Amino acid sequence: MREWSWGFLFIALAFASSIAAERNPRTERISGSAGDVLEDDPVGKLKVYVYELPSKYNKKILQKDPRCLSHMFAAEIYMHRFLLSSPVRTLNPEEADWFYIPIYATCDLTPTGLPLPFKSPRMVRSAVQLISSSWPYWNRTEGADHFFVVPHDFGPCFHYQEEKAIERGILPILQRATLVQTFGQRNHVCLNDGSITIPPYAPPQKMQARKIPLDTPRSIFVYFRGLFYDVNNDPEGGYYARGARAAVWENFKNNPLFDISTEHPTTYYEDMQRAVFCLCPLGWAPWSPRLVEAVVFGCIPVIIADDIVLPFADAIPWEEIGVFVAEEDVPKLDTILTSIPPEVILRKQRLLANPSMKRAMLFPQPALPGDAFHQILNGLARKLPHQKSIYLKPGEKILNWTAGPVSKRFAKANMPAASEGNIRESPRHLVFFPPNTESVGIICVWILEDKHDKWRVKSQGFFNAPILCLHYPVFVPISRRITGHPHGASQLQGVGIGFLFPSYPWPGPGLSKAKVFSIVGLVEFLYEEAPDAMKSIGSACAALFGGLGCFVASIINSIAKSATRNPENKQLSRLSQDINQAKFDYFYWLLTILSIINSAFSCIQHIGTSTGQSRPSRSGKPNKTSLLRNEDS
């Protein structure tokens, strides 16, 4: 009997809705409320400088996986494209109010389309390291006048599970920046005060193409399509959506007023336009694209996510257009929705029909007045002017540049790099020793340890490891003061230092330090210059080629032994362990000659490839061509 009463009430509501649609105005706005600022024009209120980063931070990532263009995290891509041609963009950073760092930190998808956030922290730190060493603007505020777009599940915490996201927290280097993010939940560690909450990306053209006539009756009372359980990531249940979705299914799967299912039909968009209420429950995160779809299709969003911070809450009157249901009240959802008076439902529908409400939730291409791009700019404009307290004193540091998660996957393949002061982008515990011909020479010297020149021999083995550990905290700052280079020396210069000081004439720590410059330079060069998809393969090849070098050196050693030995005359080899007859200096001179030839060949090749490249600008500002040539070549 109870279900019949629900059905009768629903039919009455649907009939009243269709009659009102014909007789009453289809749109309404709330004068004097937050909704008045939806149509504000940000042009003239702020200027934004867009950093021109190497393409490995954005364009190359997108080329690798074009699926990112249609993913719900695509706001970071389209915001970048919008700003490049926006009238608020300035090419003069001295007059900028805000600085935008265009990195596609969430464009890393599995074969099934699920995002992987694990390399995002390293990418963010790398980008900040680059701009802080190439431009002065980050360092003067430590990012307080910069903004990032971080549209992941839990935004700048970079994890899709809340427990792990809370454990990570916001990447410390982002603590002073303004974060433009889809995640929003009050009193949560992944949402900073002052962050701008935005809607997730939903394809505007696809949604527009699926519109049905406005006078189509809304014959579905409650509509939902999606997961109720995530058996793969939450096999025991109860953790996914904090149990709210499971409660919807268990309580209303057989209720005739609820059209809910895990199936995603081809008529999904059309069905939402035929529904009165659309459920928007939390999933792994409080937000979902259903919120955008509900608003665009005029379906009253039923928001089931405690403490959620909704997109552009200072501009969109969510309390007037939606229905909020506490997670613990999900079992009473039927009673809550059927008790809403018809006139309240009709008013919410008229507000949702306002075009400005729909535009504010979309990222159209090309941009339109009042769309989500402009709402973001409005949010940034409302934070101006910056307070004087954001500017730091010369030499003052607040943020911990090295704290936060580091991707294990990338830590194994990359060598740390240093730039400004205490910046070290990568894990410092990683040590990589590519073997080379000098290593063979040292092995040969160790053979003589008990017979000749013990101090010199032991110093070779003793100084390598500690000097490599001291490379970044000691030698890089010293050489940086001399050369002015952020890393102390460029990659090729580091390799050249190793070539310049061959093994034999330079014993002790001098040889070890030269070798360290060569080792670090080779690894940094390998990582920076290799394509993204070949970095691990390149590291393996480096080790392989180094091993081949050792193998060739042993062949040379064997040939030298055979050529200089005469058993008939009892003449020992020049590489004999008998130090009275051995001539190891010849062996080292051979290595020296090979190093000189190698160095000369490298210089000739470098000169040939450098012809026609641009020089740094005299103004001291970073030369765009020099910054990008290695990435776009």
Side-chain angles (χ1 to χ4, degrees), residues 436-437 440-441 444 546-564 573 575 587 590-591 594:
N436 49 38
T437 53
V440 179
C444 294
L548 290 175
C550 289
F551 180 70
V552 171
S554 65
I555 293 177
I556 296 174
N557 196 348
S558 299
I559 294 174
K561 282 185 176 181
S562 300
T564 58
S573 165
L575 297 180
F587 178 76
L590 175 62
L591 294 182
L594 292 176

Side-chain angles (χ1 to χ4, degrees), residues 492 602-614 629-630:
L492 294 179
S602 299
C603 291
I604 294 171
Q605 194 173 34
H606 177 67
I607 293 172
T609 57
S610 299
T611 304
Q613 291 181 350
S614 61
R629 64 173 182 264
N630 287 335

Side-chain angles (χ1 to χ4, degrees), residues 73 86 126 184 390 392 454 458 526 571 616 626:
F73 299 153
S86 172
S126 175
I390 72 169
L392 304 181
K454 285 187 177 181
K458 287 186 177 180
L526 169 71
Q571 179 180 345
S626 63

Side-chain angles (χ1 to χ4, degrees), residues 116-317:
L116 295 173
F118 307 116
K119 70 178 182 181
S120 301
R122 190 180 189 282
M123 183 188 298
V124 171
R125 273 194 292 261
S126 175
V128 172
Q129 175 188 339
L130 175 62
I131 65 171
S132 64
S133 60
S134 304
W135 289 272
Y137 308 106
W138 174 278
N139 297 322
R140 68 184 184 183
T141 65
E142 285 201 319
D145 52 357
H146 290 58
F147 70 94
F148 290 81
V149 180
V150 281
H152 209 277
D153 289 283
F154 288 92
C157 290
F158 297 119
H159 208 284
Y160 58 87
Q161 291 183 341
E162 185 173 18
E163 182 180 358
K164 297 290 187 181
I166 293 175
E167 181 181 339
R168 286 187 167 201
I170 294 177
L171 195 64
I173 203 171
L174 299 180
Q175 289 287 358
R176 288 173 60 85
T178 291
L179 303 175
V180 179
Q181 58 188 80
T182 48
F183 172 77
Q185 182 173 318
R186 287 185 291 274
N187 303 317
H188 199 284
V189 297
C190 298
L191 181 68
N192 269 350
D193 291 339
S195 296
I196 298 175
T197 310
I198 64 173
Y201 176 79
Q205 288 81 2
K206 183 179 178 181
M207 298 175 73
Q208 183 64 34
R210 305 292 289 275
K211 287 286 189 70
I212 63 176
L214 293 176
D215 57 355
T216 303
R218 294 188 176 270
S219 55
I220 303 172
F221 190 57
V222 179
Y223 187 76
F224 176 78
R225 290 292 185 272
L227 290 177
F228 297 99
Y229 303 92
D230 189 345
V231 294
N232 293 325
N233 297 301
D234 182 27
E236 298 180 0
Y239 186 72
Y240 176 62
R242 297 198 283 259
R245 293 197 185 195
V248 171
W249 177 252
E250 296 299 333
N251 286 278
F252 307 110
K253 58 186 176 183
N254 297 320
N255 191 311
L257 298 181
F258 284 69
D259 187 352
I260 58 177
S261 173
T262 57
E263 298 179 357
H264 203 286
T266 56
T267 58
Y268 174 70
Y269 285 158
E270 291 83 354
D271 292 343
M272 293 191 79
Q273 296 172 76
R274 297 187 180 97
V276 178
F277 295 102
C278 290
L279 299 185
C280 301
L282 74 163
W284 284 112
W287 61 271
S288 79
R290 293 176 188 83
L291 193 66
V292 178
E293 296 161 350
V295 172
V296 170
F297 292 133
C299 185
I300 300 173
V302 180
I303 301 162
I304 307 172
D306 293 350
D307 296 323
I308 187 173
V309 177
L310 290 161
F312 309 131
D314 58 345
I316 297 178

Side-chain angles (χ1 to χ4, degrees), residues 376-392:
I376 294 174
L377 295 181
N378 280 331
L380 293 170
R382 287 193 282 271
K383 295 168 69 70
L384 295 175
H386 294 300
Q387 297 180 359
K388 293 182 179 180
S389 59
I390 72 169
Y391 297 96
L392 304 181

Side-chain angles (χ1 to χ4, degrees), residues 343-354:
E343 60 271 17
V344 175
I345 292 176
L346 294 175
R347 186 164 187 268
K348 292 180 183 294
Q349 290 175 336
R350 290 197 298 269
L351 291 171
L352 286 169
N354 191 324

